[in-house]
Amino acid sequence: MFSDQYDPKVARRVVQIWEQYTNRVLNGRLTEQQAFDRIMSSLKKLSPELRTDINNARRARTSDRTGVASENQRKVANSELKRSSPSVTDITTQDTQEILLIDGQVGGTGVGYRDSHYYEDQDIVTSIVETAGIGDLTQWAWLEGNAYIQNGGRHDIVCDYWQNGGVLGGNASYDIWVQEEGESYKTWLNLATTSNLVYGNKTRAVQYNFNSDTVYNFGIRLKTSISGIADALVDFQTVNADGSTRQLKINSLRVKPD
């Protein structure tokens, strides 16, 4: 239905979003309400048409509840509501949450061999640059998502990742960017930089001061670079002799109050 009404790519991402958040509910990492709220926030980013339909559906649901709300107001005035009535304090906040990575981009500059890819269904980015002489080239790939920050202030942006890369004569960096929705400017925060062989799981964090009641876009980027006169290779893409694939895999990206 989503494929017919919107687009096959949108339909695939809708399925991915629901599956990933359903698993987080089943694993006890989110409540059903928290997962639903984040699903709705993520779906709105997939296409303008889908966002419009979601907003219209929510407005219709709010209108349907108006009669019930008016009746409750009358009962409150007459002290007729029982103590078991739901409280507005049951609304969940989203100030500690995982960012679902639902899209990506690639790019680069310079003369030499360079390539990169992103796989949003697996939360993986790969990148490689190589030169056999004078080299000044960069290649990158990132994954991105968004989150609603209800209560602003300084938060940690925490990334759990698995790295498998080889660096000879260049460097690789993992960077996080933050962008207020609707703005064009990205704030870049360096998570880690390496000029050596790397392998294994790591957890690192950076800090950012958020505004309240604001939707933010987030990205995690792998950038491979070479600059100078040398035979150089920065490889986060090919297959190792042991059969493992060089890559950066994001196990989780989350924000939490400092």
Side-chain angles (χ1 to χ4, degrees):
M1 182 273 289
F2 275 92
S3 183
D4 292 338
Q5 188 165 346
Y6 304 105
D7 179 84
K9 185 177 181 180
V10 170
R12 286 194 297 272
R13 290 181 181 170
V14 168
V15 173
Q16 290 167 5
I17 290 169
W18 279 99
E19 286 182 342
Q20 290 186 42
Y21 274 121
T22 297
N23 287 331
R24 286 161 193 170
V25 171
L26 295 175
N27 293 336
R29 298 167 65 182
L30 292 173
T31 66
E32 291 184 14
Q33 185 61 52
Q34 287 172 329
F36 181 80
D37 290 342
R38 297 178 196 181
I39 286 169
M40 290 299 103
S41 176
S42 298
L43 293 185
K44 287 183 178 182
K45 296 286 291 181
L46 296 184
S47 80
E49 296 81 7
L50 181 55
R51 180 169 58 250
T52 298
D53 288 349
I54 290 173
N55 290 337
N56 288 341
R58 285 191 159 182
R59 279 193 292 268
R61 185 175 62 181
T62 300
S63 177
D64 290 341
R65 291 178 175 175
T66 301
V68 176
S70 298
E71 177 65 12
N72 283 342
Q73 290 171 358
R74 184 192 64 77
K75 289 183 177 180
V76 168
N78 296 326
S79 300
E80 295 177 17
L81 278 179
K82 298 180 179 179
R83 287 187 175 272
S84 60
S85 299
S87 169
V88 294
T89 57
D90 292 337
I91 298 174
T92 59
T93 64
Q94 298 184 16
D95 286 349
T96 298
Q97 59 182 298
E98 188 167 345
I99 300 164
L100 183 65
L101 301 169
I102 60 174
D103 205 351
Q105 291 189 38
V106 299
T109 60
V111 178
Y113 177 69
R114 54 187 178 86
D115 192 26
S116 58
H117 301 275
Y118 67 89
Y119 305 93
E120 77 274 10
D121 56 331
Q122 303 175 66
D123 291 340
I124 289 173
V125 284
T126 68
S127 185
I128 185 171
V129 288
E130 184 176 14
T131 182
I134 299 176
D136 190 359
L137 61 158
T138 297
Q139 188 70 17
W140 55 265
W142 78 43
L143 292 166
E144 60 186 274
N146 65 86
Y148 167 68
I149 303 299
Q150 179 170 323
N151 298 311
R154 187 159 292 277
H155 286 56
D156 290 325
I157 307 173
V158 184
C159 185
D160 300 327
Y161 60 87
W162 184 78
Q163 57 184 349
N164 183 356
V167 183
L168 177 63
N171 66 77
S173 66
Y174 315 149
D175 305 295
I176 289 175
W177 56 260
V178 183
Q179 178 186 47
E180 188 173 331
E181 190 172 63
E183 299 293 328
S184 58
Y185 178 76
K186 291 181 174 66
T187 298
W188 290 90
L189 306 164
N190 179 247
L191 195 68
T193 300
T194 183
S195 56
N196 299 297
L197 177 72
V198 291
Y199 188 94
N201 290 302
K202 286 281 187 180
T203 299
R204 292 183 181 271
V206 293
Q207 289 192 327
Y208 188 80
N209 195 41
F210 293 95
N211 296 322
S212 297
D213 191 26
T214 304
V215 175
Y216 284 90
N217 300 322
F218 296 82
I220 173 74
R221 180 186 70 176
L222 165 64
K223 183 176 75 171
T224 54
S225 302
I226 294 172
S227 181
I229 304 175
D231 293 343
L233 171 67
V234 185
D235 182 4
F236 279 75
Q237 185 158 293
T238 64
V239 178
N240 287 325
D242 63 1
S244 63
T245 301
R246 294 183 175 182
Q247 59 187 237
L248 178 66
K249 177 175 175 56
I250 311 305
N251 294 323
S252 73
L253 183 66
R254 60 190 184 275
V255 292
K256 64 185 186 70
D258 183 21

